[in-house]
Amino acid sequence: MAQKIREAFPAELRVAGTTMDLMIECCTEFIQLVTSEANEICAADNKATMNPEHIIKALQQLEFSEFEDELTELLEQFKQENKDAGKQKRERKKRKDDGSLTEAEAIALQQQLFNQAKEGTAAPAIPDAAALAEYQRKQQQDQQL
């Protein structure tokens, strides 16, 4: 919280420690006030979970409606970032499911490459499971000769 407060002040302004403590206490009181009001709204709506809309409504009831537009914008931005993060996670999982190495395969390949490097017979890096299988097949053929 102190870092956010410092960011709000001009860089050349020095702030006394007691002033910073007072600002942090004010922030804490404000958060408690808004949370308490949002909790009452939540209870009045017979909801067990407090949602962002309850916070926005609490700010309106406490006559801080000037923050509504900015908070709504921040909420939408947060939702979009979470949606994008979820999409990226699903894409990573999909890549894992469609032919990339499992953790066990990657460890086995890594160990094999370490051993080959020690022996001086290192192979180029293998990017996926199909290439790994082809490489292992060739290695087996070479060993049979």
Side-chain angles (χ1 to χ4, degrees):
M1 200 177 303
Q3 181 180 357
K4 290 291 182 189
I5 293 170
R6 281 189 199 96
E7 290 173 4
F9 291 123
E12 66 276 359
L13 182 67
R14 292 181 1 157
V15 179
T18 54
T19 303
M20 186 62 71
D21 292 343
L22 180 61
M23 292 293 296
I24 290 171
E25 189 63 33
C26 289
C27 291
T28 302
E29 286 296 321
F30 180 75
I31 290 169
Q32 288 176 344
L33 176 68
V34 173
T35 303
S36 176
E37 187 69 26
N39 186 45
E40 290 177 16
I41 293 168
C42 194
D45 290 346
N46 292 320
K47 301 287 183 177
T49 304
M50 187 182 299
N51 293 314
E53 293 76 20
H54 295 121
I55 300 294
I56 292 171
K57 194 182 271 187
L59 287 169
Q60 291 170 345
Q61 288 187 3
L62 293 169
E63 298 181 12
F64 289 106
S65 55
E66 64 268 15
F67 295 119
E68 182 178 353
D69 291 339
E70 186 176 353
L71 286 175
T72 303
E73 185 179 314
L74 286 171
L75 177 61
E76 290 305 315
Q77 180 182 347
F78 177 77
K79 286 179 180 179
Q80 186 61 42
E81 287 172 2
N82 278 349
K83 182 178 177 183
D84 293 345
K87 184 177 179 181
Q88 289 173 353
K89 186 175 181 180
R90 285 189 299 278
E91 287 174 1
R92 281 193 306 272
K93 186 175 184 207
K94 182 188 272 186
R95 280 195 304 267
K96 194 173 206 173
D97 291 343
D98 66 8
S100 63
L101 298 176
T102 65
E103 184 177 353
E105 291 171 332
I107 291 170
L109 176 60
Q110 182 182 36
Q111 189 60 47
Q112 185 178 14
L113 291 173
F114 285 151
N115 292 338
Q116 289 175 348
K118 288 177 188 174
E119 297 168 2
T121 60
I126 300 169
D128 59 30
L132 174 61
E134 179 65 22
Y135 174 75
Q136 288 173 336
R137 187 183 61 74
K138 286 181 182 179
Q139 288 293 98
Q140 287 174 350
Q141 286 176 349
D142 290 344
Q143 288 175 357
Q144 291 174 354
L145 295 176

